Amino acid sequence: MDVYGLLGNPVGHSLSPPMHEAAYRELGIDARYVTFEPEVESLEAAIRGAGALGIKGLNVTIPFKQDVVTMIELDDLADRIGAVNTIGFEGENRTPVGYNTDAVGARRALEHHDVALDGARAVLIGAGGAGRAIAFALADAGATVTIANRTEEHATELAQAVPGATGHSLGELESLLANAEVLVNATSVGMEGDRSPVAADLLDRRLTVMDIVYQPLETRLLREANEAGAETIDGAWMLLYQGVEALEQWTGQEAPVDAMNESLRGELSDSSGAFK
Ligand code: NAP
């Protein structure tokens, strides 16, 4: 039996085990996906020990995504982002290599909905860990990225690292959105209380709006974007595709996207608890 796992702390409510195990069943792979909660002091030993034990692959979540960067080799995208959420064990020596499938997951979520990113003008709200990954993903796909954030200097700092990007305050959203085709919310606003990071009257039918908050699935932002006639993409799509991308990285097989999506949405609708 193969073993895959998730490193985080806490990871008790993670949606990844059922989603990945649904994929193993569909692919006929004899494998389990288990969660681990190491202390940060033993994180590097945990990764190397996992490789030595023959664990096939690891995901990494809060609070370790940045810590891992200094501990293992990285692919180019993870290196530029400065965060890892997926580790593969590669070559005869099973060398751990870090990837960032959050970034690819966001891009694939948009592509799944036929959003053309090459040449698009995209407004990204948020400059935290997820915002950083998405900014690189959008720019790599050919979009012009405009980052707006509550703390403006976080947006301008991130923009300096992302080709062609600019950083702004949330107060500038009206003028930024006037020229945009794509809007992504990568802040946590919308998780608690019925709140949106964007005033409803700034939304219209020209926009595709993706919210990466996945609890609730229908955030106030998405509800108001729908009412304005915009296309909307909920946060489960990015979560799905970061898992799809990780599974394909580990197994070299095409992931059973529908089975993983069904599992994920079943878990999300079954639970009222907090995840990840
Ligand atoms: P993070 O690193 O803590 O960043 C939080 C971001 O939200 C920052 O830009 C912060 O702005 C902003 N923010 C927080 N409270 C705000 C408020 N009251 N008003 C305006 N902006 C506010 O968190 P993260 O890891 O990037 O995660 C952000 C969200 O994405 C979370 O809800 C998380 O669950 C979700 N997420 C989803 C996926 C997925 O696959 N769907 C993946 C990763 C994360 P400042 O810079 O001003 O603090």
Side-chain angles (χ1 to χ4, degrees):
M1 185 183 69
D2 292 342
V3 177
Y4 296 87
L6 172 65
L7 300 176
N9 207 339
V11 287
H13 294 290
S14 173
L15 295 160
S16 291
M19 177 171 69
H20 281 274
E21 291 189 351
Y24 307 149
R25 280 193 298 280
E26 192 72 14
L27 291 171
I29 297 174
D30 182 19
R32 291 288 312 277
Y33 184 107
V34 291
T35 58
F36 301 100
E37 294 185 346
E39 298 300 326
V40 69
E41 296 76 23
S42 44
L43 184 59
E44 186 166 358
I47 294 167
R48 301 206 184 274
L53 288 170
I55 287 178
K56 297 284 178 184
L58 292 170
N59 281 134
V60 181
T61 190
I62 290 167
F64 299 138
K65 289 183 184 185
Q66 277 100 22
D67 296 317
V68 167
V69 163
T70 55
M71 299 175 182
I72 60 174
E73 285 180 24
L74 306 179
D75 87 333
D76 172 65
L77 181 59
D79 189 31
R80 284 186 290 141
I81 294 168
V84 163
N85 80 323
T86 298
I87 298 173
F89 296 97
E90 299 179 6
E92 261 181 35
N93 295 333
R94 311 211 73 238
T95 306
V97 180
Y99 299 91
N100 191 307
T101 72
D102 282 334
V104 188
R107 197 198 73 220
R108 287 183 71 171
L110 289 158
E111 288 171 353
H112 177 101
H113 292 83
D114 295 325
V115 179
L117 290 173
D118 195 8
R121 289 164 297 186
V123 173
L124 170 66
I125 309 177
R132 192 171 168 84
I134 294 169
F136 281 97
L138 292 170
D140 282 1
T144 303
V145 187
T146 302
I147 305 160
N149 194 52
R150 175 178 64 179
T151 309
E152 186 175 359
E153 61 180 313
H154 295 167
T156 48
E157 275 165 25
L158 173 56
Q160 279 164 15
V162 177
T166 54
H168 305 266
S169 69
L170 287 180
E172 294 170 75
L173 270 180
E174 181 168 7
S175 62
L176 300 176
L177 284 171
N179 293 314
E181 290 101 25
V182 178
L183 167 65
V184 179
N185 174 42
T187 73
S188 47
V189 179
M191 283 184 77
E192 277 169 25
D194 191 33
R195 296 174 56 229
S196 169
V198 186
D201 60 2
L202 301 186
L203 302 166
D204 69 49
R205 56 187 310 114
R206 293 172 304 107
L207 282 170
T208 296
V209 181
M210 180 161 88
D211 199 335
I212 73 160
V213 169
Y214 51 84
Q215 192 163 52
L217 266 182
E218 190 189 56
T219 57
R220 178 168 176 174
L221 170 63
L222 292 189
R223 191 174 73 240
E224 291 179 343
N226 254 317
E227 286 164 6
E231 189 182 349
T232 57
I233 303 170
D234 69 43
W237 289 106
M238 173 174 162
L239 194 56
L240 168 68
Y241 274 106
Q242 62 76 30
V244 163
E245 185 71 22
L247 184 125
E248 292 180 347
Q249 182 72 41
W250 293 326
T251 66
Q253 298 193 54
E254 193 175 322
V257 175
D258 290 344
M260 294 172 78
N261 192 28
E262 201 179 309
S263 161
L264 183 58
R265 286 181 187 273
E267 294 289 327
L268 280 166
S269 64
D270 276 356
S271 173
S272 55
F275 294 107
K276 265 192 162 177

